[in-house]
Amino acid sequence: MKDNNIQIAIDGPASSGKSTIAKLLADKYHLVYVDTGAMYRTLTYLALKNKINIDDEQALTALLKEVNITFKRAKDGQDVFANGEKITKKIREHEVTNNVSVVSSFPNVRKELVRRQQALAKESGVVMDGRDIGTVVLPNADVKIFLIASVEERANRRYLENQKKGIETNFERLKEEIIARDDYDSNRKESPLKQAEDAICVDTTGLSITEVVNKCVELINKKIK
Ligand code: DC
């Protein structure tokens, strides 16, 4: 199998390290990285900005039709654009994070974004991360990885990241928000966060980024060689 045709699906709960690992794997295997969470975040950001009620599925779907979401490789990761406007940082803001679970629970929002995600995967080989990649978006992916880590560890990673960026954070609150988002994402009706039957679970608790990447590379090489 040619390396650049492969599809690698990475799913897992909030802050389990999916995007960090997915980016590194995309570099290693010369694949395009698709951050599907960023697509749901983009719609959430625009809805908040345009004062659209985030409980209004019809209005959200209409807004989405007007938005072209694109990604561009950047020095330290990837930039996200909505109709050409760079919104990489804006979609990570607290308000977006706390509203994105609701926006992503609507069937018509998901239908449209899944359609776009599948179109991207038709264009080239991908490493795609999210919640429903192995179960819904790319059910025939060559490799499916389900990344998990303890809540304590995930909150700690997020806390340190925020500290580095100079954002004051309350650790206990962060933990509660992560638990709440996981709960919402796992229990929604439409494509909930769930490990695909043929996914391999990797527990990253206590592992360094390099250790997780090495584990994933081992799994991927076994599957694609
Ligand atoms: O991975 P993230 O934290 O950037 O994702 C933001 C939210 O988007 C997450 O709370 C659930 C939702 N999401 C989803 O429902 N399906 C995906 N494939 C990716 C993200």
Side-chain angles (χ1 to χ4, degrees), residues 11 14-15 18 35-38 40-41 92 97 100-101 104 110 117 129-133 137 181 185 188 191:
D11 290 297
S15 304
K18 297 184 297 294
D35 176 355
T36 63
Y40 292 97
R41 285 175 179 273
R92 303 288 156 197
T97 303
V100 65
S101 278
S104 62
R110 301 202 69 82
Q117 290 153 13
D129 77 356
R131 304 293 188 288
D132 59 342
I133 310 306
V137 184
R181 197 143 65 95
D185 295 343
R188 69 178 178 223
S191 323

Side-chain angles (χ1 to χ4, degrees), residues 87-141:
I87 51 164
T88 317
K89 283 205 178 117
K90 290 175 182 158
I91 61 167
R92 303 288 156 197
E93 280 170 10
H94 202 227
E95 208 193 350
V96 173
T97 303
N98 283 342
N99 285 289
V100 65
S101 278
V102 173
V103 170
S104 62
S105 69
F106 293 117
N108 286 316
V109 167
R110 301 202 69 82
K111 201 170 152 195
E112 172 60 15
L113 285 179
V114 167
R115 187 189 66 74
R116 295 188 194 185
Q117 290 153 13
Q118 289 173 334
L120 287 171
K122 267 207 179 129
E123 274 172 27
S124 62
V126 288
V127 180
M128 195 176 276
D129 77 356
R131 304 293 188 288
D132 59 342
I133 310 306
T135 51
V136 176
V137 184
L138 305 175
N140 299 318

